[in-house]
Amino acid sequence: MKRTIILLLCTMSTMLSAQFSHIQYMRPNDQNGLNIFEESKMDSTPYSGLKVKLGGDFALQFQGLNQSNNLNNLVELGNNLNLPTANLNLDVQLLDGVRMHLRTYLSSRHHNESWIKGGHLTIDKLDFIKPGFLKGFMNHATLTLGLDEFNYGDAHYRRSDNARAIYNPFVGNYIMDAFSTEAFGELTIQNNGLLVVLGVTNGKINQSVVVADTTDDKPSIYGKLGFDKQFTKNLRIRLTGSAYYNKGATTGKWLYGGDRAGSRYYSVLHTLKDANGNSEGTDFDGRFNAGFTQMTALQINPFFKFKGLELFGIYEMVIGDNVIDGKKEGSFTQIGAEMLIRFGKQEKFYLGGRYNTVNGKRFEGDRVELEILRYNVGGGWYISKNILAKAEYVNQEYKGAGWDGRFEGAKFSGFNIEAVVSF
């Protein structure tokens, strides 16, 4: 019995020690990870065998929103707490330059039960083939393989991933939220500020080997080209352009609908029950997905930081290529702009605003456009590098004559307070 207890204590001690070990090339899951996009190839962490880092994310909001529409049939929203969300993160150093990441949603808005969001293997060295194999190439290259979030655009590096809200200065993500978890392979090359990403996914969020009459299994192709340079200690400029392309009839439609955790604004645009006891509303309302099944998407992202001043932007277009009932799908344009002022010791505080619009047509022949306008203002306090408290005011309106039903004249506004812990 004593031997068993001693063995358990030694095992726990080893596990706890391993949890806090540094993993090579890994983005810190705390304030130190702010404004890190692709993980840098400049890494000084020496390899010393298998290492395991167990981490987590927790987020809780106090929501106080009001809403209305032309039909006056939306539910009344009160001021109260939302369901807390939680992630479990497992990162493992398997070999020198080879690591694995796995994220499990312990609790999310759309799924209260635990389920795996995704995982991937990242390769920064090929020494497992032969010591120094393709060293000159791998000094600049990274290979990523898995079924997980893939690298289209820059906005996904600043979004809330269920409970991992430590990088997002606001509570909500962008209206057209480019994020999906698909089986993918990706090559990233970084050299003196230049960035190239080339990747392919199978275009599916729900994996299946069953073949139906409409199955075509066409892959999605994506890439990114950019420039990211720290000119001085205080000045950094980054500019990237990303593209995503799919011609499949049954694949590729998840780019703006792949986040199965649900919207960050709870119960907005949900209707009261009608005379038959039916109501409308989903866990994803507040965001917008055109649902194009064949598409070309483009996203341009400027980023500028000078001392405490931080600017981030989005110009994005998605063009539908499919023909449905004789009508060709249309296109939508998203514009987003953030300005933040970070201040205090180690920039623990920030204030800022975000402007976000989406407009376009579901089909080319539509006479009127759909438009959504949102703005956020707020601020936050990094109580420690692992704890963030933030508050925002949000206003979102569905404008234009193209909306009908519960979306006609719809708007919601109010405040959110969010507490975040990540480690």
Side-chain angles (χ1 to χ4, degrees):
M1 182 67 177
K2 289 183 178 179
R3 291 180 180 178
T4 302
I5 294 175
I6 292 172
L7 179 61
L8 286 172
L9 289 174
C10 290
T11 302
M12 290 178 63
S13 176
T14 301
M15 289 180 63
L16 287 173
S17 176
Q19 287 177 24
F20 296 101
S21 298
H22 292 290
I23 306 294
Q24 292 177 328
Y25 306 102
M26 181 179 168
R27 182 187 190 186
N29 195 39
D30 54 36
Q31 186 189 5
N32 293 331
L34 283 178
N35 299 326
I36 293 178
F37 296 88
E38 294 79 17
E39 287 95 344
S40 172
K41 292 295 292 186
M42 302 297 294
D43 192 287
S44 59
T45 304
Y47 175 70
S48 59
L50 181 72
K51 294 182 182 179
V52 178
K53 182 179 186 300
L54 187 65
D57 306 283
F58 305 92
L60 173 64
Q61 307 91 27
F62 185 89
Q63 178 175 292
L65 301 179
N66 299 303
Q67 61 179 353
S68 62
N69 67 359
N70 288 354
L71 295 179
N72 195 30
N73 67 342
L74 298 181
V75 298
E76 182 180 357
L77 300 177
N79 301 338
N80 218 319
L81 295 170
N82 291 324
L83 177 73
T85 53
N87 299 345
L88 177 65
N89 306 316
L90 184 64
D91 293 278
V92 183
Q93 187 80 56
L94 298 168
L95 296 167
D96 189 9
V98 181
R99 56 198 160 92
M100 183 207 76
H101 169 77
L102 180 71
R103 174 163 293 158
T104 298
Y105 290 165
L106 297 177
S107 176
S108 62
R109 178 185 174 190
H110 188 57
H111 289 277
N112 295 339
E113 75 281 5
S114 298
W115 53 287
I116 294 175
K117 170 231 175 174
H120 63 266
L121 192 71
T122 303
I123 303 172
D124 286 284
K125 297 179 182 179
L126 296 175
D127 290 2
F128 58 89
I129 298 176
K130 179 182 177 181
F133 185 73
L134 294 180
K135 181 178 179 181
F137 177 71
M138 294 307 295
N139 283 339
H140 306 287
T142 300
L143 296 169
T144 310
L145 305 166
L147 200 163
D148 207 344
E149 170 186 347
F150 54 91
N151 188 7
Y152 164 79
D154 284 353
H156 71 104
Y157 288 110
R158 299 170 68 89
R159 70 186 298 280
S160 295
D161 183 9
N162 195 40
R164 192 212 63 190
I166 198 79
Y167 307 138
N168 189 347
F170 303 99
V171 173
N173 296 320
Y174 281 91
I175 298 170
M176 275 200 334
D177 187 16
F179 172 91
S180 184
T181 54
E182 302 171 7
F184 76 102
E186 186 175 285
L187 170 65
T188 302
I189 297 177
Q190 302 177 75
N191 186 9
N192 195 30
L194 296 177
L195 169 70
V196 178
V197 178
L198 296 173
V200 59
T201 87
N202 71 346
K204 295 181 178 182
I205 191 172
N206 296 312
Q207 308 303 316
S208 175
V209 297
V210 176
V211 178
D213 292 340
T214 57
T215 300
D216 56 14
D217 286 335
K218 290 188 177 180
S220 299
I221 310 297
Y222 66 96
K224 181 186 291 189
L225 181 65
F227 175 82
D228 189 342
K229 190 76 171 179
Q230 188 80 43
F231 287 94
T232 68
K233 178 182 177 181
N234 295 321
L235 176 62
R236 179 184 174 190
I237 297 176
R238 175 183 170 99
L239 178 65
T240 65
S242 301
Y244 178 95
Y245 177 79
N246 185 285
K247 290 291 289 185
T250 58
T251 59
K253 64 180 180 179
W254 300 104
L255 183 60
Y256 302 103
D259 180 15
R260 292 177 284 185
S263 168
R264 306 298 289 174
Y265 299 117
Y266 285 55
S267 300
V268 296
L269 306 171
H270 287 204
T271 66
L272 298 164
K273 292 183 178 180
D274 60 20
N276 298 317
N278 299 319
S279 60
E280 296 180 86
T282 74
D283 290 339
F284 307 98
D285 288 325
R287 301 189 307 215
F288 178 77
N289 178 16
F292 295 149
T293 51
Q294 298 180 16
M295 71 169 79
T296 300
L298 304 169
Q299 186 178 126
I300 298 173
N301 301 111
F303 173 78
F304 173 89
K305 184 169 174 60
F306 180 71
K307 294 185 177 180
L309 174 64
E310 184 176 306
L311 305 175
F312 177 78
I314 293 178
Y315 179 82
E316 185 165 20
M317 289 186 62
V318 56
I319 303 168
D321 296 323
N322 201 14
V323 177
I324 301 175
D325 297 329
K327 297 192 297 183
K328 186 179 183 300
E329 291 176 328
S331 63
F332 285 89
T333 300
Q334 173 168 241
I335 295 174
E338 289 181 20
M339 184 176 75
L340 303 174
I341 302 293
R342 300 188 185 272
F343 58 96
K345 187 178 180 180
Q346 298 177 332
E347 297 186 347
K348 287 190 173 183
F349 303 94
Y350 67 87
L351 295 172
R354 175 193 288 169
Y355 174 84
N356 191 191
T357 65
V358 172
N359 65 81
K361 301 178 180 181
R362 291 191 186 274
F363 296 95
E364 278 189 349
D366 290 350
R367 291 180 296 176
V368 291
E369 289 191 344
L370 304 177
E371 182 180 356
I372 307 173
L373 168 64
R374 180 200 290 171
Y375 66 84
N376 310 70
V377 292
W381 172 25
Y382 283 93
I383 300 172
S384 77
K385 67 177 184 178
N386 302 103
I387 306 172
L388 171 62
K390 53 185 168 180
E392 70 163 24
Y393 174 84
V394 59
N395 183 290
Q396 180 163 319
E397 300 182 46
Y398 291 74
K399 306 172 74 67
W403 298 105
D404 56 14
R406 61 192 175 112
F407 296 103
E408 184 178 353
K411 60 182 178 180
F412 62 86
S413 62
F415 68 91
N416 275 287
I417 300 172
E418 184 170 48
V420 182
V421 175
S422 288
F423 58 92

